[in-house]
Amino acid sequence: MTFRVAMDIGGTFTDVVTYDGTTRQVRAGKVLTTPDDLARGVFEALEGFQIPFDEIEFFVHGTTQGLNALLERRGANVLIMTTRGIGDVYQIARGNRARLFDLHYRKPAPLVERSAIAEVGGRFDAAGNELEELDEDAIRLVAKRVRAEGFDAVAVCFLFAYLDGEHERRAGRILREELGDEVLVVLSHEVAPEWREYERTSTAVMEAYTGPSVHRYLDKIEARFTDKGLHVPVHVMQSSGGLVNADFARQHPLQTLLSGPVGGTMGGVAVSKLLDRPNVICVDMGGTSFDVSLVMDHEADVSQDGKAEGFPLLMPLVNLHTIGAGGGSLAYAEGNALRVGPESAGAVPGPACYGRGGTRATVTDANCVLGRVDPNSFAGGGMSLDLDAAQRAVAGLADELGMDPIELASGICDVGNAKMAQAIRTLTVEHGREPGQFALLAFGGAGPMHAAFIAREIGVTEVVVPRFPGAFSAWGMLESDVRRDFTMQFFATNDSLDTRALATALETLRGQAVEALTEQGIRDENRFVTHGIDMRYESQDYTLTVPILDTDDVTGSDFVEVIQQRFAEAHHKRYGHSTPGAPVQFVTIRTTGHGRVDRAPTETGATAGEALESTVREVVFDGRALPTTIVARSALPVGARLAGPAIVHEETATTVVPPDAELRVDDNAFLIIDLDAQPGTEDA
């Protein structure tokens, strides 16, 4: 077995990257996603590479199955079982407004109606002491209701279960005895063993809501892989940026919520280290969405909590900001104003230029009209675009708005670029980070086409286009390690901290991490474990995670002083100030088990040489048709330089180099676009 395969299933395309260990060749390609049966698209993509399934030694993929169920509100029918007296926690949620000055703001509608919340007796107090025995008869009555009313899943969320999960475990056993495997049972202390009752309940509900669809998908794809002769475990990308096998993903489906987009971030980490660019903005523009994430100090920007569609999640996940902006985003008139997205033409019917029945103008159609896409080389020549259909779609909207078609096509791209630039500001400027201190890593099928324009909008002067940009998220999955995360509540102050108890807790979590990695098939020499602890100043509500290093003597007399100083430095870096000497609190221990996996080589071994033949044709920039160099990426050797305007086409993407910019090919065959950025273009 010699092949390593990664696959990213997007809303429009399914991307695949393969590495042949015998020839050391990396290949990439894409096929249209099959929304009616995602597994079919997976096998169509693999069959295009003619790889015998019994020669695959490693397979990983990212799936949007759970995320799609959430976005489209077609998840499971969930019942919440909770402690008597707190049945309104999920409905009340938090009182804060996400958009303070938006008079039309409404909280997202809960995934579970109040009528589907059942309260049962049994209670622990805030110290983890049992106050009331669990009412097991009430649980059996709930099981009867679940069966009678056809619920697909039950989220068990008892008060203070993060301190003692015994009541939830007993409730789970009873429910599974009564309901069998037909109903998914989720226990909140297993999904999120942390404080904050609403957030823990929300996380458990989210797993129950998305779990059945993920189960069905994984069952189907594993069964079909087995039938075709695949003899290795199927791995799945997690929202945290790590890999797990399908068995774990089936037990913890919520971990796959952001499975697809995160692959690009982990690829960004690999590129950051390879090119020695510590800070990178990763932008993934596909057919349906635009995803932004950051790499800082060569590490992915991972948060210990986050949100999905407005619902809080207590789990580690890469900080991703996603908007509906992609090549398939539809342009339309709203009064006399032009709007672009978030609605997308998707894979079916797709943009008008795909020739599959689409008639409305999209971003891809606009690029066709401007001459930035070669109709004959799109997707490596695998698709021939209908330029006439694109022109008709754009012209129709132009007539509606009283504009020239070329002017409208430029406007569609400008509006889309402005929206994407604002998405980047959400993770940078709004958090006190200067975009100009980052390089912009552009990938996705449409990312390199828009990257230079977006970079100028935010004041970034360097754009990096990796190899196989259209399938880069899949490539990033081959650069990822197995990862398992564990948490334990550990409330203490700097005065009351019992360092021996802390050392014992760390060792317990280390043992759990090592055991989990062993179950994932990771050998001793490829395992390592890291620790951190959530800290805050007294009277603060939220925390920062501070690393506990292997070199730290946790039981030493100076440990508290060392960790306080580390927290002060982290606080100053994040908020711009700190209060040395102020009392601190310890809240949660976080342990991560990492399992290194074999990787495809990052370097290409490419050699310098003379560029091959190119052509010149007119392409529109800023409303003017300019002579533009058109060249295949394969014709650009290491060391080549190309002045803009220029267009570089390849199998999975098209890179646009605007006027007053220069493209060069670095030692790793990456395209580097140097922009003549003007100072002061980014708002403070």
Side-chain angles (χ1 to χ4, degrees), residues 358-441:
T359 58
R360 298 175 62 185
T362 67
V363 173
T364 297
D365 294 316
N367 279 303
C368 282
V369 171
L370 296 174
R372 298 176 185 176
V373 180
D374 185 347
N376 299 316
S377 64
F378 189 76
M383 291 180 64
S384 181
L385 300 183
D386 186 342
L387 183 56
D388 290 338
Q391 291 172 335
R392 286 194 300 271
V394 172
L397 181 58
D399 289 342
E400 186 177 347
L401 289 168
M403 299 174 67
D404 176 80
I406 295 294
E407 181 187 10
L408 176 65
S410 298
I412 291 173
C413 291
D414 290 343
V415 171
N417 292 337
K419 289 180 64 175
M420 291 182 279
Q422 185 55 42
I424 294 174
R425 293 187 183 101
T426 301
L427 290 186
T428 54
V429 176
E430 292 184 12
H431 288 269
R433 299 161 181 151
E434 172 55 50
Q437 297 176 355
F438 290 74
L440 184 71
L441 177 66

Side-chain angles (χ1 to χ4, degrees), residues 74 98 139 436 463 519 652:
R74 55 172 177 79
I139 294 171
V463 173
E519 292 174 354
T652 63

Side-chain angles (χ1 to χ4, degrees), residues 56 59 72 99 101 104 122 133 136 144 200 235 258 290 298 307 334 365 380 405 439 588 590 667:
I56 297 176
F59 178 83
E72 298 170 15
R99 297 191 297 273
F101 300 106
H104 301 287
E133 291 187 2
E136 297 187 357
K144 291 181 180 179
R200 180 160 50 85
H235 285 80
L258 303 178
F290 179 79
H298 301 299
K307 287 187 176 181
E334 190 174 85
D365 294 316
T588 306
R590 301 190 184 278
D667 293 341

